[in-house]
Each structure stands twice: as structure tokens, then as C-alpha cells.
Amino acid sequence: MPNVLLLGGTTEASALARLLAERGVPATLSYAGRTEKPRPQPIPVRVGGFGGVDGLTDFLRREGVTHLVDATHPFAATMSANAVAAARAAGIPLLALTRPAWAPVAGDRWTHVPDVTHAVAALEGKPRRILLALGRMHVADFAAAAQHHYVLRFVDTPTTPPALPDHALIVDRGPFTSEADRALMAAHGIDLVVCKNAGGTGAEAKLVAARALGIPVLMIDRPALPPRAEVTDPQAVLAWLDHAPAPTDRGV
């Protein structure tokens, strides 16, 4: 019987956790711990980091993990790179469960940038009304472009106010609808959306709304990751567990 460590924090991870529980596969779901009130899960949960590649490798060996599934956010580049290295060091198979990236369609007005630093640089110029759809991790970086009015949407109420002099804060948990996001953008007079290419359907509503309103989007592209096997369907992970290579003698 496999013993799975599922690196989560995404909708896909929660869907896979339910499938693993239904099948009776021993598994643990690991969160980074950035969300104060994560959704209840049907399998055991651990919260917090591992201490880099060495810490994750030690955890895999100590807990007898036989299969590692990386279902973290597509922008969790450090964690995903650590997972590849730790799985190799522990001698266990790794599979990534990820979302297909978004691609522009007719009517979209996207400008691509490679990272948050370039996104901030792209905001030089006259004041604008921006929907900053990045969660709370990178908000402080945009204080360097403080001439703009920012609309922020967080899952949890922050313990300290966002470090932006001119902003409106909305606390809400998705998934969101394109109709609601259209209304939000119209109500706040949004003239630019800044977001990461997270992919999937849960956060796509803002792009549909921006397209309908003719609002441009500053799209932060996904980071480069080490080569790894990937699937986009939680059911495919179950098939992989049935046929994945056994751990080597370096592992458990």
C-alpha cells in the first residue's frame, strides 16, 4: 500500500485528498500555512515548512513516504524545486498535479511580464485604478508604484494593513463568478488587472470579466521549474499510484 505525501494548498490538492480518502490510501496533506482557516480535509494534515531540501528528504524517510505528489500553486517555485530534489534524494517517485496555464483568446488585452519585479516596473506612469489579484504575498512590492489606487482581494483579514497608501480591501474566498467580478471592476472603476498565470477555472472569472469590459491585463508568467512528470486531473494520480515505480534503496 502506498504512503503518500501530498503537498497542497490548492483546489486540485483538496480534490485529490478526497479521492485518496475514498480509496483508503494512507496519505498526509501538507500546507505551507499561509491561509488562516483552510478547508477541512478528509486525510491527516500537517502545516508548515520542512526546512528546505534536506528537511523534506528527512521527512520523507522518517515518515516512510513512498510517493510524493506536488499539488502546490503553480507559483510555489521553491517548494516545487525542493520536491523534485528531495524525491530524488529519498529515492521515491514524484508526480506534479497542476493546472493548465491560461492562454489569451480573442478580445483579451494581455501584456506579459516574467515576474513581480517586472510587473511593478511596468506600472510606471500616470495613476490608474488596479485590481491587484495576487493575494497578499507580494502586495508590499507594489508600494514602489504608490501613485495607483489598488483594489485587493484576500482570503483572510490581514493582521496589519497592506503597505499601500491608496487601496481598497475585499476579504472573500473564491471561486468567483465572471458576473460578480464584472460588477466589482465596474464599481471600483478598474482600468487594469494585475495577476499571475495561475491557470484553472477557479480564478479565471477576473479574466472573463476583464475581456467583457475591455480592461487590459498585466499577466505574470509562470516560473521555470525543474523537469518532472505532470498531470492535470486528480484521477490520473490514482492511476499513477497503481503503476508508479517502487521506491529505490535510497528511500524507504
Side-chain angles (χ1 to χ4, degrees):
M1 177 70 73
N3 180 23
V4 178
L5 176 62
L6 171 56
L7 305 177
T10 60
T11 302
E12 293 78 13
S14 295
L16 178 57
R18 289 192 296 273
L19 293 175
L20 293 171
E22 290 168 3
R23 184 181 275 202
V25 176
T28 300
L29 175 58
S30 177
Y31 285 120
R34 296 192 181 98
T35 301
E36 293 177 7
K37 297 178 181 178
R39 300 181 189 277
Q41 297 293 338
I43 61 175
V45 171
R46 70 170 299 278
V47 178
F50 292 94
V53 174
D54 290 343
L56 178 54
T57 302
D58 289 344
F59 181 91
L60 297 173
R61 290 172 171 158
R62 184 174 67 251
E63 299 299 321
V65 174
T66 62
H67 297 77
L68 179 59
V69 179
D70 179 5
T72 57
H73 192 276
F75 281 78
T78 299
M79 186 70 252
S80 290
N82 288 352
V84 171
R88 184 182 302 116
I92 65 172
L94 164 75
L95 184 67
L97 173 60
T98 190
R99 312 165 187 170
W102 292 318
V105 300
D108 284 330
R109 300 169 57 196
W110 293 9
T111 299
H112 293 269
V113 291
D115 52 34
V116 170
T117 299
H118 284 82
V120 174
L123 297 182
E124 292 181 350
K126 65 180 182 179
R128 306 186 71 168
R129 299 183 66 83
I130 299 172
L131 175 61
L132 191 61
L134 301 178
R136 60 184 178 180
M137 277 189 63
H138 300 288
V139 166
D141 294 300
F142 288 84
Q147 73 272 31
H148 305 294
H149 173 77
Y150 293 96
V151 175
L152 312 174
R153 185 161 59 188
F154 293 175
V155 173
D156 302 305
T157 302
T159 54
T160 57
L164 296 173
D166 185 5
H167 73 271
L169 174 62
I170 300 166
V171 178
D172 198 3
R173 184 189 293 267
F176 304 105
T177 67
S178 57
E179 293 80 8
D181 276 3
R182 266 182 86 168
L184 182 150
M185 293 180 195
H188 288 271
I190 297 299
D191 57 25
L192 178 68
V193 175
V194 178
C195 66
K196 296 177 178 179
N197 195 332
T201 58
E204 192 177 16
K206 58 182 172 287
L207 301 180
V208 178
R211 184 185 311 135
L213 295 171
I215 296 173
V217 173
L218 186 63
M219 182 66 72
I220 302 172
D221 291 330
R222 292 185 175 189
L225 295 174
R228 58 186 187 167
E230 296 183 356
V231 295
T232 59
D233 181 358
Q235 288 283 356
V237 179
L238 299 185
W240 173 77
L241 288 173
D242 290 336
H243 301 97
T248 70
D249 56 7
R250 288 181 296 165
V252 291

